[in-house]
Amino acid sequence: MPYWRKLFSTGYVDPTDGLPNVTAAQQSEIVSILSAGTFFGALLSAPLADTLGRRWAMIFNTGVFTFGVILQTASTAIPMFVAGRFFAGLGVGLLSATIPLYQSETG
């Protein structure tokens, strides 16, 4: 995706093709922050589901994920993109632990 590479590049030029790109460290941060958000989401899902109820927690969790996607879509720099990845991961973690709980109680 040459457009994304050019938009988010901080000056690094990939020697393999001569196009602007993100560094390996930046790429690692962008990829791994989603997993960090997922980890914290999974930890927070049970208390949130007990407080709000299963159905309302899933609605809230979907909102958290949507917020992360909006941040990623609107971003023009790496910090905002990384924040969006974190919130999207948080939503995924919240949902991935709440949905099986909801299914087991309604089945």
Side-chain angles (χ1 to χ4, degrees), residues 25-68:
Q26 292 166 329
Q27 187 176 13
S28 297
E29 176 189 17
I30 290 167
V31 171
S32 65
I33 199 73
L34 183 88
S35 296
T38 304
F39 172 77
F40 289 110
L43 289 177
L44 295 173
S45 66
L48 187 65
D50 288 342
T51 303
L52 296 178
R54 309 305 189 233
R55 189 173 70 115
W56 284 108
M58 288 188 295
I59 292 168
F60 175 79
N61 300 344
T62 303
V64 171
F65 174 75
T66 303
F67 175 69

Side-chain angles (χ1 to χ4, degrees), residues 71-82:
L71 284 179
Q72 290 178 76
T73 303
S75 66
T76 57
I78 291 176
M80 188 170 169
F81 191 75
V82 167

Side-chain angles (χ1 to χ4, degrees), residues 8-24:
F8 288 96
S9 176
T10 55
Y12 173 74
V13 176
D14 193 340
T16 59
D17 58 10
L19 295 173
N21 204 352
V22 295
T23 65

Side-chain angles (χ1 to χ4, degrees), residues 90-105:
L90 188 67
V92 168
L94 287 165
L95 284 167
S96 67
T98 306
I99 289 172
L101 182 63
Y102 177 76
Q103 288 175 328
S104 69
E105 291 176 352

